[in-house]
Amino acid sequence: MAPISKSNRIALAIGLLCLATAGGVSAQGSTGTTSGSGSTAASTTGSTGAMGSGGSAATPRAGAQGAAQAADRSFMEKAAMSDMAEIQLSQIAQQKATRDDVKQLAGRMVQDHTKTSSELKSIAGAANVSLPTSLDRKHQQAVQKLQGMTAGAEFDQQYLRLLLDDHKQAVALFRTEAKSGRNPDAKSFAAKTLPDLEEHLKMVQDMTKAGGKSMAGSGSASKS
């Protein structure tokens, strides 16, 4: 084997040094990349985990709060509709009713429901709830039917039947809000108004059974 010249030994040493340097840089870069990827993955996982945990805890609360607000809003809208219907039906009865007790009942309905309607508007305004300003189809048809009737005993009985149906629904509506309402103002309003509605219902029931010839509690003052 021929001896390696000095110049060849120098060239070989330089080549080996270059190979060693290149390998070290490559290994270091690979390690850094892997470490960085692990750090990024851990950070992403941690962030996602925190968001997931927070989201799973917040979503039920937000859903429950939204449902409660929707229930209070529904109560206000239905109560406002009931007030409007009672007032319009009773204004017609004040003019067409043939019995004095029915006229007296109609007058009290206008007075009481006008007052509760005003109170409800204030509560709804504070809660940013828009109340209906016109009757829905069902109540509009009832008003139109009563308007088209001729004054007499049949008119009086029809008016009482409409009051009876509407007050049954109103009492159930106000009982639910007074018990389960989440808006404090709406809940308090329902609890305060409920006794008056129950009294109205009893008056109408008694008059209906008696054929409209007697008005139970006609001399009692409104509690609303």
Side-chain angles (χ1 to χ4, degrees):
M1 180 177 181
I4 301 174
S5 66
K6 183 177 179 180
S7 60
N8 288 338
R9 287 199 299 268
I10 292 173
L12 180 60
I14 292 173
L16 292 173
L17 179 62
C18 290
L19 288 172
T21 302
V25 171
S26 177
Q28 183 179 2
S30 176
T31 302
T33 302
T34 303
S35 174
S37 298
S39 176
T40 302
S43 175
T44 302
T45 301
S47 175
T48 302
M51 291 176 61
S53 176
S56 62
T59 300
R61 289 197 296 269
Q65 184 178 10
Q69 292 175 344
D72 288 325
R73 183 184 305 109
S74 177
F75 161 74
M76 294 182 208
E77 292 172 347
K78 290 179 180 179
M81 184 66 67
S82 178
D83 275 337
M84 277 195 296
E86 296 292 348
I87 291 170
Q88 292 189 31
L89 290 171
S90 298
Q91 286 174 336
I92 298 171
Q94 281 182 305
Q95 298 177 1
K96 287 190 174 184
T98 55
R99 294 190 175 89
D100 288 339
D101 53 1
V102 176
K103 284 184 179 289
Q104 290 173 17
L105 175 65
R108 175 161 178 188
M109 293 299 104
V110 172
Q111 178 182 340
D112 288 0
H113 287 283
T114 298
K115 183 176 181 179
T116 56
S117 178
S118 178
E119 292 177 358
L120 185 58
K121 287 177 182 177
S122 297
I123 295 171
N128 294 319
V129 173
S130 298
L131 298 178
T133 57
S134 59
L135 295 177
D136 57 18
R137 183 177 180 181
K138 173 187 174 182
H139 289 95
Q140 184 61 44
Q141 288 178 341
V143 168
Q144 291 175 345
K145 180 176 181 179
L146 202 65
Q147 282 179 327
M149 295 183 67
T150 302
E154 185 177 351
F155 172 91
D156 294 346
Q157 289 303 308
Q158 177 63 18
Y159 170 63
L160 291 176
R161 280 194 293 269
L162 290 172
L163 286 191
L164 183 62
D165 292 341
D166 202 60
H167 275 86
K168 284 180 178 179
Q169 296 177 21
V171 166
L173 177 68
F174 275 69
R175 279 178 180 168
T176 299
E177 180 67 16
K179 180 180 179 181
S180 308
R182 298 296 296 274
N183 181 294
D185 292 332
K187 185 175 183 178
S188 177
F189 167 75
K192 182 186 72 170
T193 308
L194 180 58
D196 293 329
L197 294 176
E198 291 174 332
E199 183 183 5
H200 290 176
L201 178 58
K202 186 177 185 307
M203 289 162 55
V204 175
Q205 287 173 330
D206 290 345
M207 291 182 67
T208 301
K209 291 177 182 178
K213 296 180 180 180
S214 63
M215 179 174 161
S218 61
S220 61
S222 173
K223 297 177 184 177
S224 59

